[in-house]
Amino acid sequence: MSIEVVHHPLVKHILTRLRDLTTEPAQFRALARQLTLLLAVEATRDLPLREQQVQTPLELAQGYALAQPIVAVPILRAGLGMLEAITELFTEVRVGYIGLERDEATAVARAYYCKLPPIGDSRVLLLDPMLATGGSAAQAIEVLLRAGARDIVHICVVAAPEGVRLLNERFPQVRIVAASLDRGLNDRKFILPGLGDFGDRLYGTGTH
């Protein structure tokens, strides 16, 4: 099973606070942003560079600039909780949106919105905090591939083995970067131990 789990101590610390039922929405949003920053660093560690000279206050210095553009695509609505960290880290990022809504009875997502910038040779960061069955991620990846994406990294907070297997089988070229590979899914297709409904906890809607 191919997934890159980030084992940094700070990742483990933040994830534990996100899992905690008592964490309030305002703190949950701040923690989600912090964790996304750490995951994004891992998801972009292999970005190509080009040499660039800059003038320091004392002399010319040899430096580097990113040589591949970044496109961030959150899956609405929970993925929005990860977007601010990406736009802060990559100031020239282009942003697209894919709207998928999960039917609680069938656990199947339906698409209701899609708006993408030009993708070209960009590194596409697909932002969706919970990789459960993999159905929503697979739909989003298909949309991105049809739009011309060739370099996709799926960034999630927690993943279930069922979702990882699905993406590995259907899209072996897509990297998965996560803070945790959890135990599995319950009969409602929620991740265990998980952290509840990410969108509800992010925005204070529904119940945990």
Side-chain angles (χ1 to χ4, degrees):
M1 187 180 299
S2 179
I3 179 173
E4 299 171 34
V5 177
V6 181
H7 293 290
H8 192 285
L10 190 53
V11 168
K12 294 178 182 295
H13 169 74
I14 295 171
L15 177 59
T16 300
R17 295 176 68 191
L18 284 172
R19 291 194 196 274
D20 189 340
L21 179 66
T22 66
T23 299
E24 295 295 330
Q27 187 181 27
F28 192 93
R29 289 191 292 271
L31 292 167
R33 176 184 161 278
Q34 294 167 12
L35 183 58
T36 302
L37 281 169
L38 296 168
L39 297 176
V41 168
E42 176 63 22
T44 56
R45 60 181 163 77
D46 60 339
L47 282 175
L49 297 171
R50 56 179 172 80
E51 293 186 351
Q52 177 178 312
Q53 277 195 332
V54 294
Q55 179 68 54
T56 78
L58 299 176
E59 63 181 18
L60 280 174
Q62 183 64 53
Y64 299 91
L66 296 178
Q68 184 180 15
I70 302 292
V71 170
V73 181
I75 296 179
L76 304 177
R77 69 178 169 152
L80 289 175
M82 306 174 75
L83 181 60
E84 182 183 359
I86 302 298
T87 57
E88 179 180 324
L89 198 57
F90 302 99
T91 55
E92 297 180 2
V93 65
R94 297 193 302 275
V95 179
Y97 299 91
I98 295 176
L100 297 172
E101 185 175 40
R102 168 174 154 148
D103 185 313
E104 295 299 335
T106 65
V108 175
R110 67 173 186 87
Y112 64 89
Y113 184 78
C114 180
K115 184 72 172 180
L116 298 175
I119 290 177
D121 294 325
S122 301
R123 166 71 54 85
V124 179
L125 303 178
L126 179 62
L127 309 176
D128 191 20
M130 311 295 283
L131 177 58
T133 65
S136 295
Q139 285 188 48
I141 291 168
E142 288 172 353
V143 170
L144 293 173
L145 292 174
R146 288 197 297 269
R150 295 185 292 275
D151 182 1
I152 302 171
V153 182
H154 179 47
I155 302 179
C156 53
V157 175
V158 296
E162 294 89 336
V164 174
R165 278 194 293 269
L166 178 68
L167 295 194
N168 285 172
E169 291 168 3
R170 293 181 58 180
F171 311 104
Q173 76 277 27
V174 173
R175 287 172 56 204
I176 304 170
V177 175
S180 174
L181 178 61
D182 278 10
R183 185 170 78 251
L185 302 177
N186 66 11
D187 57 1
R188 296 178 58 208
K189 307 301 182 185
F190 278 88
I191 301 173
L192 297 174
L195 43 77
D197 185 297
F198 198 93
D200 282 346
R201 299 199 60 196
L202 197 65
Y203 301 115
T205 56
T207 59
H208 298 336

